[in-house]
Amino acid sequence: MTSREIKLNLNGRVCAVDAEENTPLLYVLRNECDLKGTRFGCGAAQCGSCHVLIDGVSVASCDMPLWSAASKAIVTVEGLSQSGELSALQQAFIDEQAAQCGYCISGILISATELLQKNHQPTEADVHAALDKHLCRCGSHNRIVRAVLRAASKVAA
Amino acid sequence: MTTTPTPVSLPGSLNANRRLSQWLAINPDGTVTVRTGKVELGQGIATALAQIVCEELGVAASRIRMVAASTAASPNEGVTAGSMSVHDSGGALRQVSAEARAIYLQAAALELNLSDSDAARLTVVDGSIQTSSGEAISSYWTLASQAMLDRDATGLARPGKVSSTAAMQRLDIPDKVTGRPRFVHDMMLPGMLFGRVLHPPSPGATLLGIDLTVVDALPGVVATVRDGSFLGVLASDEYAAVKALAKLAALASWQEPQTLPDMHELPAFLRGQQHDTMLVGEKTSEPVAGVTRQFQASYSRPFIAQASAAPSCAVARYSPDLLEVWTHSQGIFNLRADLSTIFGLQEGQVRVQHAEGAGSYGHNGADDVACDAALLARAVPGHAVRVQWTREDELSHSPLGAAMAVDVKAEVSSDGRIVDWQHEVWSNGHSMRPGRSKTPVLLAATHLAKPYDRQVAINMPLASGGGSERNSVPTYDFAAWRAISHRCLSMPIRTSSLRSLGAHCNVFASESFVDEIATGLGVDPLEFRLRHLTDPRAKDVLTAVAGMANWHSLRSTKVEGRGVGIAFARYKNTGAWCAVVALVDAGHELRVKNLWIAVDVGRAVHMDGIVNQIEGGAIQAVSWTLKEAAQFDRTRITSSTWETYPILRFSEVPAVQVEVIDRPEQKSLGSGEATNGPVSAAIANAIFNALDVRVRHMPFTMDAITKAALAEENS
């Protein structure tokens, strides 16, 4: 097992980290890069709390080794706002008050971002399909779906 | 001889925490500090309480600074549970704010030498004190002084001087959509170490042996801790701790006796234990002539996991005379009591501070992991230690919601009225929170080299809402009834509070049973319920939900595989009124497509927060009802992943429509737990309407429905 400096392309910036190359990306993001928005839920890619965009695709970071993320474009929930301005999705989640505890929200925002990048006019069923890998225990699902559809309509407008 | 006058009774938790400054500070910088002993569980309580202060004090929401509850500084409000926070803390803060407002207006009037009549006409607009003509003459911020609120509440100021503000947006959501650190899981303190704990693999397991030198030698490992069967590791980086935990698990050898019941025979297991039996209540009447029909049925639910989105987590720092703990516990004072016993410290030497965790719906692993963190922190005095459980621990080592079995019997008169009703429930206790038993109940306490005895869960007194017996008393006006509760005196599986406690299964049973009788008599189930109710607020929610769902039209239009069912309860018999209509589609798989819910929670403080709680509770109840059951063999709980303990997913969530009947003149009631029982019963009743199959044992998987259908055919 080797520890070496690895350069990450993280939220549009280069971030050099010194960690063992098999370390799951999630721990690197949270502890080395101080980005706490990506969250541990299960460690087995079964709940969606730790999703990030890797080259535009929403994937779990809890079982992704650091080495495999090198040289790819990584976007975390913190990277969804541009120069302090919330993305249409983030704003829609506030407008719809689409959270209870909010622990699952970061991962859901990542998958919703991927969805809206690929499908500008998603149906409710499209949103369900895109978010089905994400678990929400508080029962905020319907608000979350409304928020995604609201953001889509704003972006389309 | 002097006598001490009996102090005036004050609202909510103010009665026991009477000093105004304990709750509120008005600051010269234009902010208002609010302290509450209730904690944010993702239910939005901080926002609801902030709104109350805004309304009564007359300030904008942006001025409020909610302080996280701490045993060092907050009013002791016990546990945040049972949908009591708006009553306890909201009632207190409403009175405190009204008194603070009166004190400040009086100070302004005095300073400006106003006549009594001019003083009486002063108003407050966002902290600015104004005359009746709108002239600003002073403000909270210029008058602000700590001393003004350093006095006990008098109960004299009358709340309600300020009109209601628009529903406030949740204070915490902006942080949560931008990924800013908010959870205890995100806390970083200087020099903090990362801890992991290896829990015994089964409830009856004891550690036979382990060679810790192998783990001690792993890179990044700072220390290992063994105390009896308690095992933990500390590392300088988190992934090193994760790997060290895996190594501990591989090296440890355990003795694991078979202590668990047969998961397929839970009702028989519950009935077969020794019990503490109590008569919950009864009403007798002269025997009614002309009883024509007798009904009886048995219902059950399995053990249900808290299944919080995040594994429990805590931060602790230990020095010989001070133990500091940051926790998402629902009861920081109770946790302090158990920790002080375990660590041999005075309560003043244990400082427990709340930090947010993921949504909590009862007694999850929050308190247990706080003890784990403290035990590891004791091995490295002066170092902060953050311990996070695994997903497996969260699902299999947190206390579970108790399995329950319920028998209901009724006699019906010739005019189609229930004249006698018997409700009998068997269950483990629903309460094993810290600070209430004679010895600590934290998980690790029973694993130490000098272990504390395992306690058996109890039920809180009925006056505090009860446990197993919650909602075993009928809400209807039956001529005679009797409710009996049997609490099991053995507890092979650790149980404690889960949202709505016994009300979930008691309401499921009684509202399924009412439906069985109504359909058995050929009477519309809505009409049959109304026939047995005189309480206008009960009738109102039923009528409202029937209107929302278009009940009569749905029931009279038969569609293959589609069913609608209705159910109702008044939570705890003293709380919120809630009626639910469920529409199910029982084709090749069972789907709950729609829920219509009407609730009466008295005065609605934070309307969107109420709707959010109602929706959330209902969706969680759909998940329990259709999918959830803890799995176990005779030694271990085996449902320890999301694959083996599935919960409802986005594509399975019903549309939920909520109507809140606002009663501004009535006192506020909690909303978080009102829906659980009615939702389960409405689904069961809808399944019967769709398939003519009565499902009496949760969860309603397709297997369970098939089994119920076969049982009916064979009976």
Side-chain angles (χ1 to χ4, degrees):
Chain A
M1 282 182 281
T2 49
S3 176
R4 63 186 169 94
E5 189 183 271
I6 292 181
K7 284 200 171 70
L8 294 177
N9 173 355
L10 183 55
N11 295 333
R13 293 200 201 105
V14 176
C15 176
V17 295
D18 191 4
E20 189 210 305
E21 62 182 14
N22 284 322
T23 307
L25 178 62
L26 174 64
Y27 296 114
V28 176
L29 294 174
R30 290 179 56 80
N31 299 328
E32 312 300 323
C33 308
D34 201 25
L35 295 173
K36 297 287 198 272
T38 308
R39 299 198 152 97
F40 180 95
C42 69
Q46 292 178 351
C47 74
S49 324
C50 66
H51 272 226
V52 296
L53 290 173
I54 301 282
D55 287 343
V57 180
S58 173
V59 294
S61 63
C62 68
D63 65 349
M64 166 177 274
L66 175 60
W67 61 263
S68 75
S71 78
K72 295 186 177 145
I74 307 166
V75 177
T76 68
V77 66
E78 293 90 345
L80 297 181
S81 327
Q82 298 296 327
S83 48
E85 189 160 328
L86 298 180
S87 74
L89 265 167
Q90 288 171 313
Q91 187 57 51
F93 273 63
I94 294 175
D95 294 341
E96 290 287 343
Q97 294 285 284
Q100 284 194 29
C101 81
Y103 197 86
C104 65
I105 292 297
S106 311
I108 286 173
L109 280 165
I110 290 292
S111 287
T113 300
E114 181 196 20
L115 171 70
L116 295 195
Q117 277 168 2
K118 292 176 177 165
N119 180 351
H120 297 299
Q121 289 177 302
T123 63
E124 199 172 307
D126 294 334
V127 179
H128 285 161
L131 300 186
D132 232 20
K133 53 189 171 287
H134 293 273
L135 298 178
C136 161
R137 183 56 160 168
C138 295
S140 299
H141 306 76
N142 291 338
R143 286 169 179 248
I144 290 168
V145 172
R146 281 202 297 274
V148 176
L149 293 173
R150 181 186 185 121
S153 68
K154 284 272 163 64
V155 171
Chain B
M1 201 173 113
T2 57
T3 53
T4 314
T6 313
V8 59
S9 174
L10 295 168
S13 310
L14 189 57
N15 206 37
N17 302 273
R18 304 174 79 92
R19 189 129 295 229
L20 298 175
S21 55
Q22 209 179 350
W23 296 89
L24 200 70
I26 291 175
N27 307 311
D29 66 357
T31 60
V32 176
T33 306
V34 180
R35 291 187 196 86
T36 162
K38 298 291 182 181
V39 302
E40 181 60 53
L41 310 170
Q43 83 283 44
I45 190 62
T47 307
L49 297 176
Q51 172 140 3
I52 286 172
V53 174
C54 290
E55 283 177 15
E56 291 299 336
L57 212 51
V59 299
S62 58
R63 298 186 182 276
I64 303 290
R65 303 287 178 269
M66 298 298 294
V67 178
S70 159
T71 56
S74 303
N76 183 349
E77 295 196 80
V79 178
T80 303
S83 297
M84 293 302 290
S85 299
V86 169
H87 175 270
D88 292 349
S89 207
L93 281 168
R94 194 175 286 287
Q95 182 66 28
V96 167
S97 303
E99 298 209 6
R101 181 176 184 276
I103 289 167
Y104 272 79
L105 288 184
Q106 196 181 24
L110 204 65
E111 196 175 75
L112 296 160
N113 225 348
L114 299 184
S115 69
D116 284 355
S117 64
D118 283 346
R121 282 199 289 270
L122 290 177
T123 58
V124 182
V125 178
D126 190 20
S128 159
I129 299 175
Q130 304 185 353
T131 63
S132 52
S133 59
E135 184 197 350
I137 55 159
S138 185
S139 77
Y140 287 160
W141 331 118
T142 51
L143 294 171
S145 109
Q146 198 67 24
M148 285 169 72
L149 299 184
D150 200 9
R151 62 174 85 167
D152 282 359
T154 59
L156 295 177
R158 297 289 296 275
K161 290 266 169 62
V162 181
S163 61
S164 199
T165 51
M168 218 159 131
Q169 291 207 322
R170 281 269 300 270
L171 302 169
D172 51 339
I173 289 183
D175 279 356
K176 288 170 177 175
V177 301
T178 49
R180 283 195 281 268
R182 266 202 87 96
F183 297 101
V184 67
H185 309 71
D186 306 333
M187 268 185 72
M188 293 290 271
L189 292 175
M192 191 180 82
L193 299 174
F194 296 89
R196 290 293 186 274
V197 167
L198 181 69
H199 296 109
S202 59
T206 47
L207 182 64
L208 291 173
I210 186 164
D211 180 5
L212 289 174
T213 56
V214 183
V215 182
D216 283 324
L218 292 175
V221 168
V222 174
T224 49
V225 175
R226 178 182 175 181
D227 187 340
S229 293
F230 176 86
L231 279 173
V233 60
L234 287 159
S236 52
D237 88 88
E238 191 163 20
Y239 188 49
V242 169
K243 285 188 292 183
L245 175 66
K247 196 70 182 173
L248 280 178
L251 291 170
S253 61
W254 303 91
Q255 183 185 29
E256 291 185 78
Q258 296 198 335
T259 60
L260 304 189
D262 180 350
M263 64 172 271
H264 302 291
E265 300 291 342
L266 287 179
F269 160 73
L270 295 170
R271 290 167 205 267
Q273 303 304 296
Q274 293 218 305
H275 300 109
D276 175 13
T277 293
M278 70 178 279
L279 176 65
V280 184
E282 66 179 333
K283 183 182 171 200
T284 52
S285 72
E286 293 298 311
V288 175
V291 167
T292 55
R293 300 271 304 261
Q294 292 183 323
F295 292 82
Q296 67 174 48
S298 299
Y299 306 85
S300 72
R301 80 163 198 185
F303 292 98
I304 298 176
Q306 306 278 340
S308 199
S312 289
C313 180
V315 175
R317 187 161 52 196
Y318 182 90
S319 66
D321 55 2
L322 180 66
L323 169 62
E324 296 167 278
V325 174
W326 290 263
T327 171
H328 53 106
S329 168
Q330 288 183 235
I332 55 173
F333 290 91
N334 290 19
L335 174 58
R336 180 180 67 172
D338 272 15
L339 289 175
S340 66
T341 304
I342 293 170
F343 289 87
L345 296 167
Q346 300 296 316
E347 287 203 342
Q349 296 174 308
V350 181
R351 188 176 298 160
V352 181
Q353 178 162 327
H354 185 261
E356 277 183 66
S360 179
Y361 322 99
H363 179 186
N364 61 18
D367 298 288
D368 297 328
V369 74
C371 181
D372 292 348
L375 287 167
L376 293 192
R378 185 165 61 177
V380 284
H383 277 281
V385 166
R386 188 171 84 213
V387 174
Q388 187 173 297
W389 277 13
T390 62
R391 167 54 46 197
E392 290 74 16
D393 285 340
E394 192 62 31
L395 285 168
S396 61
H397 285 68
S398 283
L400 298 177
M404 298 174 70
V406 178
D407 284 357
V408 205
K409 294 178 195 162
E411 292 185 347
V412 178
S413 64
S414 54
D415 62 347
R417 295 183 70 89
I418 293 170
V419 290
D420 189 32
W421 175 276
Q422 310 272 337
H423 186 119
E424 199 165 0
V425 51
W426 291 262
S427 170
N428 273 117
H430 289 250
S431 182
M432 208 190 43
R433 290 190 188 273
R436 291 174 178 168
S437 299
K438 51 182 187 285
T439 58
V441 296
L442 302 167
L443 180 63
T446 60
H447 299 147
L448 300 175
K450 286 186 186 161
Y452 291 92
D453 287 343
R454 279 165 213 246
Q455 302 293 316
V456 174
I458 56 161
N459 289 316
M460 296 299 282
L462 198 58
S464 315
S468 315
E469 67 274 43
R470 185 173 291 181
N471 277 96
S472 60
V473 170
T475 315
Y476 299 96
D477 308 322
F478 301 143
W481 56 265
R482 176 197 280 253
I484 293 168
S485 168
H486 308 275
R487 179 177 64 91
C488 299
L489 295 177
S490 51
M491 190 173 70
I493 290 178
R494 210 164 154 246
T495 62
S496 192
S497 316
L498 174 65
R499 198 174 199 162
S500 81
L501 312 192
H504 174 235
C505 194
N506 285 323
V507 170
F508 158 64
S510 57
E511 282 296 292
S512 295
F513 193 55
V514 167
D515 200 81
E516 292 199 40
I517 299 171
T519 51
L521 297 173
V523 180
D524 173 69
L526 168 66
E527 197 280 313
F528 190 68
R529 283 175 171 80
L530 291 171
R531 182 184 290 182
H532 293 89
L533 287 166
T534 48
D535 176 0
R537 295 172 79 175
K539 292 164 115 171
D540 282 356
V541 289
L542 275 165
T543 310
V545 83
M548 290 165 72
N550 220 345
W551 166 258
H552 291 291
S553 157
L554 280 176
R555 282 290 280 205
S556 56
T557 324
K558 194 74 189 155
V559 175
E560 179 70 28
R562 188 189 79 179
V564 278
I566 193 167
F568 153 80
R570 182 174 185 198
Y571 182 53
K572 295 183 185 174
N573 297 85
T574 55
W577 290 257
C578 175
V580 175
V581 170
L583 185 147
V584 304
D585 186 350
H588 65 287
E589 54 180 350
L590 178 69
R591 285 292 175 94
V592 178
K593 306 292 281 186
N594 294 84
L595 291 175
W596 294 271
I597 304 170
V599 288
D600 173 350
V601 292
R603 174 183 183 162
V605 171
H606 188 260
M607 187 59 86
D608 191 60
I610 293 165
V611 173
N612 205 349
Q613 278 298 297
I614 295 293
E615 279 177 9
I619 290 170
Q620 192 172 85
V622 174
S623 185
W624 294 353
T625 309
L626 298 191
K627 308 189 83 141
E628 297 187 33
Q631 312 283 313
F632 42 92
D633 56 27
R634 302 312 282 260
T635 53
R636 296 184 180 188
I637 293 171
T638 54
S639 48
S640 59
T641 67
W642 291 123
E643 279 180 340
T644 47
Y645 194 89
I647 63 172
L648 207 68
R649 289 181 181 274
F650 272 87
S651 57
E652 300 167 315
V653 167
V656 182
Q657 199 181 323
V658 178
E659 186 177 317
V660 179
I661 301 175
D662 191 10
R663 307 237 187 231
E665 74 288 359
Q666 300 287 348
K667 71 172 184 175
S668 298
L669 301 163
S671 58
E673 301 164 303
T675 56
N676 302 110
V679 164
S680 290
I683 293 171
N685 298 342
I687 291 171
F688 182 77
N689 183 236
L691 302 174
D692 273 334
V693 174
R694 180 54 67 176
V695 281
R696 301 190 181 93
H697 306 283
M698 288 186 269
F700 308 150
T701 57
M702 282 315 269
D703 275 357
I705 295 171
T706 309
K707 211 169 135 190
L710 288 172
E712 280 182 22
E713 272 176 31
N714 296 333
S715 67

